[in-house]
Amino acid sequence: MVLNSNPIHNVSGTMDCWTPQQTVEIMTLASIKKSRMSVAKCFVSSMYGGMLLSFGCTFVLAVNASPWFATNAPGVLALIRALVFPVGLIMIVLTGADLLTSNIMLMVIGVLRRKVTLWQLCVNWVVSFFGNLAGSLFFMAIIVHYGNIFHTPAQISATATFGNQKVLDPAWHEIFLRGIACNWLVCLAVILGTMSREVISKMAGIEFPTATFIACGFDHVVANFFFIPTAMWAGADFGVGYYIWKSLIPSLLGNIVGGGVFCGAGYWYLYVHDEEMPDYRGENVLEGAEVSELGGPTGLGPFKKDRENSEFTLRNGHHASMDQSRRPEEMV
């Protein structure tokens, strides 16, 4: 029995976007694609994710070197920082690079849909973590440090102060809670970008949730891969060990809760769990722009399968091989 023969490209109402349920399906397919990516490609893609996000971080630190605004109009400075930072996430989403914090949500959805194993989730998270870290440190050391981007006393002082405020001022549990809110917003930005069907809408959907987390001062573990080492280079009052304990660990754990629980598990429960799912058989949604963009490179590595026999179609939690020669209503 076919539950719904309407193809995935149908949208509800007059809005030109995917429905929330369709978006969860797209993210499920993206999680399958990421789980089958080779470790080498995942690492390189994650390096690009760290470097692209570092462009936005550099933009924030460049704007932040404004002593008058910092003293007399800190709210305006926070607004400017918030508006310029999302350029990094926009480039990541539109180019399909890997970001640990969005992968947290995607892989949790894949596991809950029983399309991704816990082992594949762990591999993806670990490789994304170190790939993002390597890309961020490369950008910080080569582009910013040796490129002498921040060379004036005002820039160096503002960068060190920014790091001190991120690491020294808040308590451990405060950074953890800020991490939850941060990745909740970042994953919402990815969801809205995925729901949108053309570039300007995608950019707008990513811009505003991301700007919110920057304006509120929430903690993003990958952004801090750039912010904190750059602050230490500028003379911040802490070392690597203190940064790992006081900032990296609580922000990482908070990001996992925010992205994995509040977005991944939450939207899986609302839109997929015990829900009647549309039948997408006959629609090669894996080749769609949204899945290709969100899923990243196509290297399948050790998980490579015959494309004609790949089980990418989803129907009530069951796999079904694609047959492009048959119409959806013929596939019972």
Side-chain angles (χ1 to χ4, degrees), residues 221-253:
V221 65
V222 181
N224 285 351
F225 285 164
F226 177 87
F227 283 135
I228 306 306
T230 305
M232 288 191 287
W233 161 79
D237 300 324
F238 54 86
V240 175
Y242 191 82
Y243 155 59
I244 291 174
W245 164 247
K246 183 68 182 298
S247 176
L248 192 153
I249 292 175
S251 61
L252 174 61
L253 295 177

Side-chain angles (χ1 to χ4, degrees), residues 122-161:
C122 292
V123 169
N124 179 270
W125 285 9
V126 170
V127 175
S128 298
F129 177 93
F130 286 105
N132 287 162
L133 177 62
S136 301
L137 293 179
F138 171 84
F139 194 94
M140 184 278 295
I142 304 302
I143 305 298
V144 173
H145 179 57
Y146 286 107
N148 202 25
I149 303 300
F150 302 129
H151 59 278
T152 67
Q155 290 173 326
I156 295 173
S157 175
T159 300
T161 300

Side-chain angles (χ1 to χ4, degrees), residues 17 26 88 101 118 161 188 210 239 258 271 278 289 302 314 320 329:
C17 65
I26 291 170
T101 46
L118 284 173
T161 300
L188 280 174
T210 310
Y271 296 113
L314 307 176
E329 57 269 21

Side-chain angles (χ1 to χ4, degrees), residues 306-326:
D306 184 351
R307 293 299 297 273
E308 294 180 358
N309 296 323
S310 294
E311 298 177 330
F312 285 123
T313 303
L314 307 176
R315 183 171 182 252
N316 281 345
H318 299 294
H319 294 293
S321 297
M322 291 213 174
D323 186 347
Q324 298 300 319
S325 65
R326 302 173 64 189

